[in-house]
Amino acid sequence: TGSLAVCAGSCGPGNLHLVNGLFEAQRSRLPVLAIAAHIPGPEIGTGYFQETHPQELFRECSDFCELAATPEQFPRLLDIALRTAVERNGVSVLVVPGDVLLHRLDHPRKAATVRPTTPVVRPADEEIERAAALLNDSERITILAGAGCAGAHDQLVRLAGALRAPVVHTMRGKEHVEYDNPYDVGMTGLLGFTSGYRAMEQCDTLLMLGTDFPYRQFLPEHATTVQVDVRGEQIGRRTRVDLPLVGTVRDTAEALLPKLAPRTGSRHLDAARDHYTGARAALDRLAVDDHDRTPVHPQYLARIVDELAADDAVFVPDVGSPVIWSARYLTMNGRRRLIGSFTHGSMANALPQAIGAQSAFPDRQVIALSGDGGLAMLLGDLITLKQQGHPVKIVVFNNGALSFVELEMKAEGMVNFGTDLDNPNFADVATALGIHGRRVEHPADLGEALRTAFAHPGPALVEVMTARQELSVPPTVKFDQVRGFALYAARTVLSGRGDELLELARTNVVRHLP
C-alpha cells in the first residue's frame, strides 16, 4: 500500500507461505520487513522437524536477507533490514532462530528511528540539455507513464502540455496518471485499447517515464526512445533506448521543463485524443444492462461498481478477467487506489490483498473484485475475513470458468479444456459464515444489491453471474491470433461443441442488434 509492512512466518510451512507474498511485494517495489523464524540454532543442518533454509528461500525475493545467529546481532541487523526496506522500497528478510528470539538482552541497544528520505535525484545538466534538444527536434512525441509517476502527477501533466504529447499509461500507472489529465489517451498492452496503442505506434519519439512496461510487442520499433527511471539498471530492458536518464520523474521533469521550446502545433496530440474519444465511447457502449438479458456482461458490472464505490475506495482486482474490466472501467480520481498483482501475476490475489489493504486503511472502503476461480482457490480467507471483522466488500465475477485462460487457448487455436469450474453458490457460502451474501443473476438487480452490500457495516459478498464467452480484444491483433481463433472455431465444431460458438456469437454480436 506504500507504507512499511511487517510480517512474520513460522518455521517450515509458515515460511513457505510467505514466499509468494514477498515476491509480490518485491516486484511491486513495496517496503516490507519479514521476520522469518528458523528452528533452534543448535539444530540447524540436522534435518530437524520443519527445517528449511530460509535464507535460500527468500534470497530471490528480497533486497536484504540475513541470519541473526546470536542475540547480539539481532538489533543491528534489524536496523539495517528496516533501513534497506524503506530506502529501496523493497523486501528485507531477517531470519531468526527460535532460541535467539526468546533471549533477553541485559543491555539492549537503543533503536534508531528509521525515516524515509526524499533526496532530489535527476540527471546531470548536460544530460538534461541533451534530452531537451532531442525533444525540441521531435514532431510527434508520446509519453508512456508508469507507476514511477507516483507523486509527480502535476509535473507529468505540465510536461505533456509543453510537449503537446498524448500520455499512455500502464496498468500500475493508471491510479497516478489517468485523473485530471487532459492528455491521457488510455492504456496499451494486453489490457489496453486501440487509442493507447496508436498513440505509441504513430510517434517519432517515445518518452518512457517511470515504467518497466514488459510487453515489447506493443512498443514502437522505429521511434527514438528516451527513458527516465530512478533505477538505472531498469533502463533499456524492454527496447532500445537512445537516451537514458537516471532520476525520479518529478525531479527530472522539473529540470527539463524550463529547457523546452514553446510549441504551437498539436496535430499528433489532437489525433490521439480524437482516437481516444472514439475508443472510450465504443467501450462504454459495451457496459450496458443489455435489455436485462442474462448472464450479466462483466463490463456492466465493473461500470456499476465504479459508479457506486466511494471517492476514496481501494480496488483490488484478481489476476485474470477482473483485471481487464478494472483497467477499462474503473475511474481514478487521485484519491482512489488500484492495488493488484500487476507485475507478479499471482492468481487469487484479490481477497488476501484486500484484507491487507483494509488493515492498512481501516476507515476506507475496500472492494475485492474476485474471479470465481480466484475466490475458490483461497476460499478459506472468507473465514479469515469474518474472524478479523474487516468490512471488505467482495464482488465475484462468476462465469463458471477460467475465462482468461480460455481466451489465451482460443488465440492459440485450442479447444477449451480443463477450464470449467463447478462452483458452489458463493453467496450461500458467505451467508453460512456469517457474512452478508447476495447472488445476482439479472442486470436489473445489480444496483440495489451492490448498494446494500456497500452500505453493510461488515464484510459483504455479492456474487454476479457473468457471461462466460465475453471477448476482451487487445488493441492490436496479430495474424497468428486470427489464425488461432479460426482453428479454435473449426476444432470446436468438429468436436461436437458448436453450442459454444453460438453462445460466443450471442454474447458478443447479438447484443448489438436492436
Side-chain angles (χ1 to χ4, degrees):
T1 60
S3 303
L4 177 71
V6 180
C7 56
S10 60
C11 299
N15 281 332
L16 291 173
H17 292 323
L18 264 180
V19 171
N20 191 57
L22 294 186
F23 264 115
E24 186 78 64
Q26 181 71 356
R27 298 198 67 186
S28 299
R29 307 308 302 168
L30 300 175
V32 173
L33 170 66
I35 306 294
H38 208 335
I39 62 173
E43 303 294 343
I44 294 174
T46 67
Y48 190 74
F49 175 64
Q50 290 194 335
E51 182 174 5
T52 59
H53 296 88
Q55 287 166 274
E56 300 302 320
L57 284 174
F58 295 115
R59 197 172 301 282
E60 282 292 312
C61 61
S62 62
D63 285 315
F64 177 90
C65 184
E66 293 295 343
L67 170 69
T70 68
E72 292 73 23
Q73 277 183 295
F74 181 82
R76 290 181 60 199
L77 290 181
L78 178 62
D79 183 80
I80 296 170
L82 281 168
R83 195 170 299 279
T84 302
V86 169
E87 291 297 333
R88 292 194 179 182
N89 279 325
V91 173
S92 287
V93 180
L94 194 54
V95 180
V96 191
D99 54 316
V100 172
L101 282 174
L102 292 174
H103 196 278
R104 179 180 294 276
L105 292 174
D106 294 331
H107 302 286
R109 178 174 176 265
K110 185 178 180 180
T113 301
V114 178
R115 296 187 178 91
T117 59
T118 55
V120 174
V121 183
R122 69 168 182 83
D125 289 343
E126 57 269 23
E127 293 175 319
I128 292 292
E129 294 284 356
R130 195 179 309 132
L134 189 156
L135 294 171
N136 287 334
D137 288 340
S138 301
E139 293 184 9
R140 301 183 309 280
I141 302 170
T142 293
I143 294 174
L144 176 62
C149 293
H153 177 271
D154 292 345
Q155 289 81 0
L156 169 66
V157 172
R158 286 164 52 204
L159 187 61
L163 296 172
R164 310 305 295 165
V167 178
V168 181
H169 62 260
T170 66
M171 184 65 188
R172 290 187 62 214
K174 177 179 171 72
E175 63 175 319
H176 309 296
V177 173
E178 181 183 63
Y179 70 96
D180 295 339
N181 185 352
Y183 309 103
D184 183 71
V185 295
M187 284 180 59
T188 187
L190 297 175
L191 308 180
F193 40 98
T194 55
S195 56
Y197 174 78
R198 295 298 179 195
M200 290 177 59
E201 182 189 48
Q202 296 173 359
C203 71
D204 60 18
T205 299
L206 176 66
L207 178 57
M208 300 175 65
L209 299 178
T211 177
D212 191 30
F213 181 75
Y215 302 110
R216 294 183 295 164
Q217 66 269 34
F218 291 96
L219 295 171
E221 296 181 3
H222 306 295
T224 300
T225 302
V226 181
Q227 185 173 0
V228 178
D229 203 297
V230 73
R231 295 174 292 160
E233 70 275 12
Q234 300 293 113
I235 294 177
R237 294 175 60 177
R238 310 303 179 189
T239 188
R240 186 199 76 254
V241 172
D242 300 280
L243 181 56
L245 298 174
V246 176
T248 66
V249 173
R250 181 194 63 221
D251 297 330
T252 303
E254 289 283 10
L256 191 56
L257 278 164
K259 309 291 184 181
L260 299 177
R263 288 175 178 259
T264 55
S266 59
R267 183 180 301 176
H268 177 57
L269 173 62
D270 293 342
R273 284 292 300 172
D274 289 344
H275 195 144
Y276 172 69
T277 299
R280 183 70 261 170
L283 289 175
D284 291 341
R285 285 194 294 270
L286 300 176
V288 296
D289 63 6
D290 198 15
H291 308 287
D292 202 35
R293 286 185 284 209
T294 59
V296 178
H297 288 288
Q299 300 97 319
Y300 180 62
L301 170 56
R303 196 198 91 195
I304 297 301
V305 168
D306 179 63
E307 291 177 356
L308 298 180
D311 283 345
D312 64 345
V314 180
F315 299 101
V316 191
D318 251 337
V319 164
S321 56
V323 170
I324 300 174
W325 314 128
S326 299
R328 297 181 178 184
Y329 293 99
L330 294 184
T331 305
M332 298 294 105
N333 57 12
R335 297 177 299 281
R336 287 177 166 181
R337 295 296 313 275
L338 183 60
I339 300 170
S341 185
F342 304 138
T343 302
H344 196 47
S346 297
M347 188 175 170
N349 64 287
L351 181 53
Q353 287 185 332
I355 292 173
Q358 192 73 83
S359 300
F361 305 125
D363 298 324
R364 292 175 68 171
Q365 183 185 66
V366 177
I367 302 174
L369 303 170
S370 296
D372 49 342
L375 182 60
M377 283 180 67
L378 292 182
L379 198 57
D381 273 0
L382 285 177
I383 300 175
T384 301
L385 185 62
K386 173 62 178 176
Q387 184 166 315
Q388 296 296 324
H390 294 311
V392 173
K393 313 308 177 190
I394 307 166
V395 179
V396 185
F397 290 69
N398 186 350
N399 56 17
L402 301 173
S403 56
F404 197 86
V405 176
E406 286 190 342
L407 187 62
E408 293 174 320
M409 294 175 75
K410 288 179 175 72
E412 293 294 328
M414 302 178 186
V415 176
N416 296 336
F417 174 79
T419 54
D420 293 320
L421 296 175
D422 187 6
N423 291 317
N425 184 311
F426 290 113
D428 286 349
V429 172
T431 301
L433 294 172
I435 296 172
H436 172 86
R438 174 81 178 271
R439 174 180 273 211
V440 174
E441 298 183 359
H442 294 273
D445 300 328
L446 187 56
E448 183 271 330
L450 288 174
R451 287 188 192 93
T452 302
F454 289 174
H456 184 71
L461 182 149
V462 177
E463 176 185 15
V464 183
M465 309 308 291
T466 57
R468 176 172 181 170
Q469 298 293 348
E470 197 75 47
L471 290 178
S472 54
V473 182
T476 182
V477 179
K478 304 296 185 183
F479 174 75
D480 287 347
Q481 294 171 315
V482 175
R483 182 179 61 184
F485 200 89
L487 282 173
Y488 150 76
R491 289 167 175 168
T492 298
V493 171
L494 291 174
S495 63
R497 292 163 56 178
D499 57 324
E500 289 184 18
L501 291 183
L502 292 176
E503 179 62 22
L504 186 71
R506 191 188 80 84
T507 301
N508 297 279
V509 179
V510 174
R511 64 184 302 189
H512 297 294
L513 301 178

